Amino acid sequence: MKKTYSGRYFEILEKRKNLPVWVHKEEFLKTLKENQIVLLVGETGSGKTTQIPQFVLEAVLNENPSSGPKGKKWLVGCTQPRRVAAMSVSRRVAEEMDVEIGDEVGYTVRFEDCSSSKTVLKYLTDGMLLREAMADPLLGRYKVIVLDEAHERTLATDLLFGLLKQTLVSRPDLKLVVMSATLEADKFQNYFTGVPLIKVPGRLYPVEILYTREPQRDYLEAAINTVIQIHESEPPGDVLVFLTGEEEIEDTCRRIASKLGDQVNVMPLYSTLSPAMQQKIFDPTTDAVRKIVVSTNIAETSLTIDGIVYVVDPGFSKQKLYHPNTRVESLLVSPISQASADQRAGRAGRTQPGKCFRLYTEKSFKELEKQTYAEILRSNLANTVLTLKRLGVENLLHFDLIDPPAPDTLARALDDLYHLGALDDECNLTKTGEMMSEFPLDPQMAKMIIVSPQFNCSNEILSVSAMLSVPNCFIRPRGEGQKAADKAKSMFSHIDGDHLTLLNVFHAFLQHNQNQDWCYENFINYRAMKSAVNVREQLVRIMSRFQIKLCSPDFNSRDYYVNIRKALLAGYFMQVAHLERTGNYLTFRDKDDQVVHLHPSNCLEYKPEWVVYNEYVLTSRNFIRTVTYIQGEWLVDIAPDYYKPANFPNSEAKRVLQRHCKKRRLSEERSCKIF
DNA sequence: GAGCACTGC
């Protein structure tokens, strides 16, 4: 590292030294020296994310002045749950250390590696470190790993916990720092028995918490009234209201605006909002007009808005839930946890003392869960199990996780992977499974891609996969534009299904040279399309690594779309529904079949007897979304082991399946006689 | 005939 620093360096250094975490620098370094694992609890504003990794780096460089593994430099890695955070924090730290980003300080996130052979401190997403661990389970280049925001308990962070717990045993020279914003620390301390804990206070202004006297029946009504009340009786200061979803937010914005008019500036905030609209949130307010931001959970952790003095918290958010029996993931409006409520309240005290209006009673608050359930307890684990297998975990039940998932969920995941050919009878990873694990996709999709050359359509399947991996590309404005949007969409529609429609959109986007105006005119989300192109490129790179053929059927051939539909089924054969005589679709499964409805966004002009679907969503009804027509006999051709009639309970679909099986047997016998 | 909390590889 260079010896002379710029004036700016010393200027920033003085500011850094005022951060609360600096008071604990010596204590931290001493503890790190004497222990393999250190737990640090630092509240918002303590400076832990930027400073601790620098402290660690200083120690590593002092103790290992020259050598690293294979002549390379030792690395300090710091994980973040979000890519924006990894990028922005590393930029900040590079500035503090007076170096160019990508040199001594860098970051690695999906689609972007801004690090080099010079890099000694690297910020990366938790998912990225997990990927690195797949290639090198001992994480040989790292000397210290810092797991930041551990309290968020993302799936990737939880897996890293389990993995590092093993790695630390085989690599006594590797150290781990766990950083958490809340004191769920006892949970971590139980997990890593006897680990020292350092507590650093945050720097937030006091936030007064107000509860309602009675529980509120209608939280929207209550939220709107509270905003009006704040506006009429509280001193200047911006307001942040937490709601659960896009429609609710847009609706509430309109209602507030109609009541308060020009006196306030009401703005919505959610992830699918265009970046330009999101940016508006950060425009400074004029003194005369109060800013009112109505937001989803995105403002709880991902985005920080300065100048918020009042927070309105109805106490709900949409949360993902997984039911292993029906294999359905659903988004459900649910009460938040105490930790979440406290995090929301903290948003009021970033620039001056604030107030948080909780639209529930103090008693209700005390009845809330302390922490939000870890993601691993609320997810389909097929992909997780595949990752663990790839990391060399032999017995999943013995893998030490902070919160072990339900046995049902685990069993379901193993079962799915077995049917996909990723695991053998003894639960070992197969060659196919190994390849599947390299794709940053769900197992069905990875399988579909791997076998697509057999249907001579890997190019098309890659495009469809990319489209399925990004947010919905169809824009549908409320009110006026709706009809025009639907008409534009119908231009892309393929009568046999939504997957093929997505393919049409992708092809059209490329034909129009990825033109943004073309997207605008056709009600297509440009950002989604660009990111699909990006995803596809990444998938192509993985394909070439495994030398999987890139090929297309003849576009003018009658079988062009047939091949693609067959390839879809080769991955998603466990997600098939059959049209019953009642006119309803029934999922066709070994157990727990469900009545489902085609999602109204589908582009089919008729109801085919059999469909393959991309996802099952539980909202106002049971919907299957993104569906494509398939032939019943393909089930027997493409997944004969899974579609043995004996595996299924009696049903209309089973009788049809039996007929197909019989026909297949007969044709096989006939062909035997010929030879 | 309806919706899309949020991340991430």
Side-chain angles (χ1 to χ4, degrees), chain A residues 38 136 193 204 232 250 316 326 395 424:
Chain A
V38 179
D136 175 18
T193 31
L204 273 182
E232 285 170 353
E250 292 288 356
F316 293 96
T326 51
N395 190 331
D424 63 19

Side-chain angles (χ1 to χ4, degrees), chain A residues 132-147:
Chain A
E132 289 190 5
M134 273 189 181
D136 175 18
L138 289 181
L139 295 166
R141 274 202 67 194
Y142 291 91
K143 197 78 185 163
V144 181
I145 285 166
V146 183
L147 293 184

